[in-house]
Amino acid sequence: MSQFKYSEQQLEKAFQARVDAEQKIEPKDWMPEAYRKNLIRQMSQHAHSEVIGMQPEGNWISRAPTLRRKMVLLAKVQDEGGHALYLYSATETLGVTRDELIEALHDGRAKYASIFNYPSLSWADIGAIGWLVDGAAIVNQITLQRTSYGPYARAMVRICKEESFHQRQGYESLMVLANGSPEQKAMAQDALNRWWWPALMMFGPHDGESAHSAQSMKWKIKRKSNDELRQAFIDQTMPQIEFLGLTVPDPEMKWNEQRGSYDHGEIDWDEFQRVINGDGPCNRDRIEHHKKAHAEGAWVRDALRAYESKKRQRLAA
């Protein structure tokens, strides 16, 4: 027993040395079970967020104001589905099946980004989602290109390129509204008012209150803390808000010359906890919609399995 413990300790020490040396961990490499579980939690949450995030935007495809806007939104929603595919596939390299991941989402054991539990009430919301939500995602995901797990890091390279397109199209859409009629500018301001605080919540709780941040940072699954990422997002977004001629819905927001950064008001963490625990405006609708779509797509999965089975039989013959 003591020899087994010693060997386990040696393996963990060698593993951490590889991580510290910025070497990528690959699927067949030895890894601590806690590292594997931490990755499954984070990567599956990321994949689920991409899929659930298609819902508030897909709701506006048929109502886009022009053919160009419809084409752009269709491309964006299609990209999100592709991102989920990359991430689910990367997560499966850790020895978990797609069915297990979906089951965990449906029964509430797995989470997704809390921001997708808010409704998209106007066309301006689609611009705000692209600009603020995808903008916040980019701030986090750029660092994930250097995450310690190889398949995750490589998936993030392409995802970040596409998310940059999403952020630009969202900002361009709101720019048109902000420079349009008074009614259009008011629509843009209303969208900013409703999406600003949920966008800040996307980065998670303060570092000292996060259950996973410290260990994730040690293993270099995460490369920057929640508060560092949130501050970076605020600092890059405030000049964009000012350029649009809009007003940030935070009376405490001000430039701090000494820090070279913005000071901001406190997030409503009670609301954050309510939403991630299932009591947001759209939590139930989002999951029920996903369950319905998953059930309706069962015949496609069955057909693919049958095709693969027949293909293997032909090859064997």
Side-chain angles (χ1 to χ4, degrees), residues 47-103:
H48 298 327
S49 298
E50 298 284 357
V51 171
I52 299 296
M54 298 166 69
Q55 293 187 35
E57 295 177 308
N59 186 41
W60 279 90
I61 290 174
S62 63
R63 295 182 286 168
T66 67
L67 178 60
R68 175 177 176 272
R69 296 294 180 192
K70 186 188 295 288
M71 291 170 62
V72 170
L73 185 56
L74 274 168
K76 182 179 189 293
V77 173
Q78 177 178 284
D79 283 349
E80 307 295 4
H83 297 172
L85 177 61
Y86 307 152
L87 292 164
Y88 281 132
S89 298
T91 309
E92 286 176 308
T93 65
L94 292 161
V96 61
T97 68
R98 190 82 54 95
D99 287 341
E100 289 173 319
L101 297 174
I102 299 301
E103 182 181 348

Side-chain angles (χ1 to χ4, degrees), residues 93-282:
T93 65
L94 292 161
V96 61
T97 68
R98 190 82 54 95
D99 287 341
E100 289 173 319
L101 297 174
I102 299 301
E103 182 181 348
L105 173 65
H106 287 173
D107 65 22
R109 286 179 290 122
K111 304 290 186 183
Y112 56 88
S114 61
I115 198 163
F116 297 122
N117 290 313
Y118 292 86
S120 51
L121 303 179
S122 74
W123 172 251
D125 285 23
I126 301 305
I129 291 171
W131 170 37
L132 297 175
V133 177
D134 293 318
I138 290 169
V139 170
N140 182 44
Q141 292 171 6
I142 284 176
T143 68
L144 291 176
Q145 293 177 108
R146 297 185 296 114
T147 192
S148 61
Y149 189 57
Y152 195 16
R154 291 188 287 273
M156 294 313 306
V157 173
R158 178 166 180 174
I159 290 174
C160 283
K161 291 178 180 178
E162 293 177 350
E163 292 289 8
S164 295
F165 158 74
H166 300 167
Q167 194 270 346
R168 290 188 182 96
Q169 68 83 23
Y171 189 68
E172 188 269 342
S173 178
L174 276 190
M175 189 183 299
V176 171
L177 293 175
N179 289 285
S181 67
E183 292 80 8
Q184 288 174 318
K185 185 170 184 178
M187 185 189 298
Q189 181 65 60
D190 175 64
L192 173 60
N193 292 345
R194 287 182 290 104
W195 289 94
W196 175 254
W197 291 107
L200 297 189
M201 295 177 194
M202 282 181 67
F203 297 99
H206 290 308
D207 301 329
E209 300 167 4
S210 176
H212 304 284
S213 282
Q215 187 61 67
S216 292
M217 294 279 285
K218 180 181 178 182
W219 282 328
K220 298 189 178 182
I221 295 173
K222 287 181 63 172
R223 305 300 303 228
K224 290 189 176 182
S225 70
N226 295 349
D227 288 329
E228 286 179 306
L229 294 168
R230 186 165 24 246
Q231 188 65 59
F233 171 72
I234 291 171
D235 290 345
Q236 78 173 29
T237 306
M238 279 302 298
Q240 297 170 359
I241 294 174
E242 293 168 0
F243 184 81
L244 291 176
L246 302 178
T247 303
V248 67
D250 180 358
E252 297 181 44
M253 184 74 70
K254 62 180 180 180
W255 177 253
N256 185 318
E257 191 68 39
Q258 185 176 3
R259 291 197 307 118
S261 190
Y262 283 90
D263 295 332
H264 60 90
E266 187 63 15
I267 293 168
D268 184 347
W269 293 112
D270 290 337
E271 177 183 339
F272 173 76
Q273 290 298 332
R274 286 197 304 272
V275 174
I276 65 171
N277 289 324
D279 196 25
C282 300

Side-chain angles (χ1 to χ4, degrees), residues 10-20 25 30-32 35 148 219:
Q10 289 295 99
L11 287 169
E12 290 187 3
K13 185 177 179 180
F15 173 85
Q16 189 62 51
R18 290 190 62 192
V19 170
D20 293 341
I25 306 302
W30 184 91
M31 63 187 73
Y35 176 85
S148 61
W219 282 328

